[in-house]
Amino acid sequence: MSKSSRLHFTHSTVAFLLILTGLMLSSQSLRGALADLRIYLKYAHIVCGVIFAITTAAYIVPLTAKWKTFAWRTMQKAGYILFAFLAKGAIFTGVLLAFGMDIGAAGGISVLHLHKGLAMISITVILYHSFSELLNLLTTRSGVAEGGFQVDRRSFIRWSSAVAALFGGGVIANWLGRGGNENLFVNKEKRFSNCNQMDPPPLPNLGSVPPIGGGYEGEFEVFTVTKIPCANSDSWQFRLFGLVDQPLTLSWKEFLEIPRKVQVSDFYCVTGWTVYHATYEGILLSRLIDLGRIKSQARYVKFYSSDGIYTSALSLEQAKMEDVMVAVLMDGEPIPSDLGGPARLIVPKMYAYKGVKWINAIEFIAEPHDGYWESRGYENDAWVKGKI
Ligand SMILES: Nc1nc2c(c(=O)[nH]1)N[C@H]1C(S)=C(S)[C@@H](COP(=O)(O)O)O[C@H]1N2
Ligand SMILES: [Mo]
């Protein structure tokens, strides 16, 4: 193998692995199934990204040399420029993601959405490039591509492969979109499903309607590792148990009688998307802790979800932070089941994997507990860091 074809081989293999691990990380339908692998997939994706960046840079010298000597067709040059642009963007956003950095509420678009958008266009370009090169190779080898008539035929093949590539890119984008309810770009019109039947609904306090935060910006991705559970006010319960004087079980009605607070906070997912200034109304966790009348041995608070699988935990000190709450309303409306309603935990200073959706129980414990993602490599102290 020549030096240049070795480079091309490495570059394309790495690009393939990059796309594969990227798709596995962003697929919603595989989120639960791949949970144990997630942290390794993430590292593999980053390592591939670094090699991809190096091999992309390694193209600069041979390409500039070729650029001068060959009378390249404009389209070909445009193709290289486009790909270089996309690669640079994908690498830059990838670096931001790898270091957990955020670009701020720039039109509500998160780094992750930019990264995915660039990746989608790159995949289309790569598919087109591979298709046309492959067909080119096949047709020249069998000798059909020479001669006047065949030139038409070749351009026909090129065009049809372009269409096929676009179609393939579309299918992939659609697959990702459907599986995850994810949008590449902001979609304010989006409505979330709500299968909860809660009677009465929580009455918003002053500040919730109209939301003092002015309504959230950005886009939630509906994340779950299980089927979305649906709640009914007749059977819904909230339990406080563990190291307490007296375990407590609250009905929906009793739960709604506890005073609530309204606050505005940002919502950070560790994978790189953010929702800005959502107005939450909920019961402060410190209030629930007081209600629980905990024993002195209690050092940690463990949270349960009605999905029966997901848990997380905070130290007692963290749980008592003034903005940690079990929210029932967001921007003045009941939190839909898609987003963790009827009640979900909100821990604004930490990544959202602490924000247990469909929360239905709190246990006071003496030893730390590794929750669902924490036992799969995520940090227990999930402080949001690296905000630019
Ligand atoms: N029960 C439950 N809670 C959960 C999760 C989950 O899969 N199940 N995912 C967590 C993660 S990683 C994030 S980013 C947020 C996503 O919240 P959303 O689906 O409302 O956007 O919920 C968190 N709480
Ligand atoms: Mo997350």
Side-chain angles (χ1 to χ4, degrees):
M1 244 199 279
S2 74
K3 213 172 147 190
S4 75
S5 58
R6 213 162 47 221
L7 176 61
H8 189 253
F9 178 75
T10 316
H11 191 65
S12 46
T13 310
V14 163
F16 173 76
L17 291 173
L18 204 54
I19 291 167
L20 189 71
T21 48
L23 290 177
M24 288 167 96
L25 281 168
S26 58
S27 162
Q28 275 316 293
S29 25
L30 297 176
R31 195 168 170 80
L34 291 176
D36 291 340
L37 286 179
R38 190 170 181 89
I39 205 93
Y40 306 108
L41 279 173
K42 185 180 156 185
Y43 290 138
H45 191 68
I46 292 172
V47 169
C48 287
V50 170
I51 304 172
F52 181 75
I54 295 168
T55 51
T56 305
Y59 267 102
I60 296 171
V61 175
L63 269 184
T64 38
K66 253 185 170 179
W67 208 269
K68 286 175 203 143
T69 44
F70 290 108
W72 274 5
R73 277 174 305 149
T74 331
M75 275 306 287
Q76 199 170 7
K77 283 191 175 176
Y80 274 104
I81 291 170
L82 173 68
F83 193 73
F85 181 74
L86 289 170
K88 241 172 73 181
I91 291 165
F92 177 68
T93 50
V95 169
L96 289 180
L97 284 172
F99 289 101
M101 290 190 272
D102 178 46
I103 45 170
I109 294 177
S110 301
V111 200
L112 181 71
H113 297 118
L114 272 173
H115 189 71
K116 281 188 190 170
L118 290 166
M120 275 325 149
I121 309 169
S122 307
I123 292 172
T124 313
V125 174
I126 291 169
L127 279 174
Y128 169 71
H129 172 72
S130 323
F131 259 113
S132 63
E133 286 305 301
L134 191 70
L135 287 168
N136 213 0
L137 203 76
L138 292 175
T139 46
T140 22
R141 218 176 248 167
S142 52
V144 239
E146 292 341 300
F149 171 68
Q150 277 80 8
V151 171
D152 282 338
R153 187 190 159 109
R154 192 203 273 184
S155 62
F156 168 74
I157 290 171
R158 271 185 185 269
W159 274 107
S160 46
S161 54
V163 171
L166 274 170
F167 182 72
V171 168
I172 292 170
N174 185 39
W175 171 66
L176 281 174
R178 209 187 23 205
N181 278 330
E182 293 175 28
N183 293 296
L184 292 180
F185 299 105
V186 198
N187 175 9
K188 293 253 164 52
E189 282 5 285
K190 190 167 153 194
R191 288 280 163 267
F192 299 98
S193 323
N194 185 21
C195 61
N196 293 333
Q197 292 179 323
M198 307 309 281
D199 186 35
L203 283 184
N205 279 308
L206 214 66
S208 265
V209 176
I212 43 171
Y216 75 81
E217 266 188 300
E219 198 52 62
F220 285 97
E221 294 192 8
V222 178
F223 274 0
T224 180
V225 291
T226 60
K227 243 179 79 219
I228 291 181
C230 301
N232 188 300
S233 39
D234 293 337
S235 54
W236 190 87
Q237 288 187 330
F238 196 91
R239 290 194 309 134
L240 293 162
F241 68 108
L243 298 169
V244 290
D245 287 342
Q246 184 77 54
L248 206 66
T249 303
L250 300 164
S251 69
W252 175 244
K253 226 177 133 228
E254 289 164 337
F255 193 72
L256 289 184
E257 278 161 13
I258 307 169
R260 296 189 292 268
K261 182 195 162 193
V262 179
Q263 75 183 23
V264 178
S265 54
D266 296 336
F267 187 102
Y268 294 88
C269 172
V270 74
T271 63
W273 56 270
T274 304
V275 171
Y276 302 94
H277 53 80
T279 304
Y280 285 108
E281 181 177 323
I283 304 168
L284 286 184
L285 200 63
S286 55
R287 194 184 281 276
L288 287 173
I289 292 172
D290 290 344
L291 225 76
R293 286 196 279 129
I294 55 174
K295 294 202 164 104
S296 58
Q297 306 96 288
R299 305 249 48 94
Y300 296 88
V301 189
K302 177 177 172 184
F303 309 101
Y304 292 82
S305 165
S306 67
D307 66 15
I309 299 282
Y310 202 89
T311 60
S312 191
L314 292 172
S315 72
L316 200 56
E317 211 181 13
Q318 293 166 350
K320 283 180 175 170
M321 285 188 294
E322 80 291 349
D323 55 359
V324 179
M325 62 160 60
V326 177
V328 290
L329 294 162
M330 183 179 68
D331 287 349
E333 287 183 26
I335 298 174
S337 52
D338 268 7
L339 300 183
R344 81 169 299 166
L345 189 67
I346 296 293
V347 188
K349 293 190 178 67
M350 293 196 176
Y351 283 113
Y353 63 86
K354 289 289 178 185
V356 175
K357 295 166 73 170
W358 314 294
I359 189 170
N360 68 349
I362 294 177
E363 184 184 9
F364 297 93
I365 52 179
E367 301 298 324
H369 161 76
D370 289 338
Y372 185 88
W373 284 117
E374 290 90 335
S375 63
R376 290 167 175 82
Y378 285 35
E379 279 175 54
N380 247 324
D381 290 330
W383 303 111
V384 175
K385 54 184 177 210
K387 281 190 249 177
I388 296 174

